[in-house]
Amino acid sequence: MSENYAFTPPATVSVPVVGSLERFPVHRIYCVGRNYEEHAKEMGFTGREPPFFFLKPADAIVVAEPGQTASTPYPTLTSNLHHEIELVVAIGTGGKNIKAADAAKHIHGYAVGLDMTRRDLQGEMKKLGRPWCIGKAYDHSAPIGPITLAANAGDVNNAPIWLQVNGADRQRSNVNKLIWNVAETIEHLSAAWELQPGDLIYTGTPEGVNAVVRGDTMVGAVDGLTPISVQVV
Ligand code: MN
């Protein structure tokens, strides 16, 4: 028997899993701010600070299906839309107060994602001491590629990460330069929220963030994972 909802509930947001017919249903999207030193510097900050987090709504996901170029609309209210290429961790087993040493057990897999940012709006909110939501958590702000199961992902903690726009290098680094690595991030995050199966963690972006405009195609990768291709339309 179906529930008596006031209207049809939205469909579950899901991400394909490489080599599987199963899709990964998305619960929440957590993001880590300023988690590569050179990116922290380009944003005007230095040194290691405790990790901090923000969220995007699950329905901000834009799935780049394998072998296809996804489209993401140029958002309203901005004239400075930035790309941020990121390693995304997909949580398969939830928990709270997870220790870094136990974090691997909770990871279902990994994907390549883009933390798209209305940088001008984020900057205004920073200046005013207001929440970043309008800059970070807008519609279609979270493109993601297929999830590779952890067992098949290789050494993602020590993998090149890069982004090209229209074939030209924009961002190039290595996941081993994360200030707070994946396991430490899970420890900090799960102390603040109880992680649930279906949670995604965008782990932060390296230096080289910059603007894209309509028509630009972003291709990004983390070695060992399926690359992502997204066009701004
Ligand atoms: Mn980011």
Side-chain angles (χ1 to χ4, degrees), residues 32 54 84 86 115 136 204-205:
V32 188
F54 57 91
E84 296 191 356
E86 308 203 357
D115 166 17
K136 285 289 195 180
T205 196

Side-chain angles (χ1 to χ4, degrees), residues 31-35 39 54 56 84-86 114-117 119 132 136 202-205 209:
C31 303
V32 188
R34 297 197 288 268
N35 204 15
H39 172 62
F54 57 91
K56 295 182 188 245
E84 296 191 356
I85 187 72
E86 308 203 357
L114 284 163
D115 166 17
M116 297 304 294
T117 303
R119 190 72 73 200
W132 290 6
K136 285 289 195 180
Y202 282 59
T203 55
T205 196
V209 299

Side-chain angles (χ1 to χ4, degrees), residues 68-107:
Q68 295 178 20
T69 295
S71 294
T72 186
Y74 196 94
T76 59
L77 302 181
T78 185
S79 53
N80 196 19
L81 176 64
H82 272 203
H83 54 73
E84 296 191 356
I85 187 72
E86 308 203 357
L87 170 69
V88 181
V89 179
I91 296 295
T93 305
K96 53 185 173 182
N97 296 315
I98 299 164
K99 291 296 160 209
D102 298 321
K105 293 179 219 165
H106 296 265
I107 299 173

Side-chain angles (χ1 to χ4, degrees), residues 117-197:
T117 303
R118 295 194 277 208
R119 190 72 73 200
D120 40 4
L121 298 182
Q122 182 200 23
E124 284 172 35
M125 292 303 114
K126 271 187 198 173
K127 240 182 278 168
L128 294 167
R130 290 180 183 168
W132 290 6
C133 308
I134 199 167
K136 285 289 195 180
Y138 68 90
D139 293 345
H140 316 291
S141 60
I144 190 170
I147 291 167
T148 297
L149 295 175
N152 303 330
D155 187 8
V156 288
N157 291 295
N158 198 24
I161 178 171
W162 54 265
L163 179 84
Q164 295 185 329
V165 176
N166 304 330
D169 263 25
R170 286 284 185 88
Q171 296 187 264
R172 192 167 285 276
S173 187
N174 191 297
V175 176
N176 65 21
K177 292 185 176 166
L178 277 171
I179 295 171
W180 299 95
N181 67 27
V182 168
E184 293 166 335
T185 294
I186 288 172
E187 176 167 328
H188 280 92
L189 190 56
S190 69
W193 288 273
E194 181 172 355
L195 293 180
Q196 300 290 342

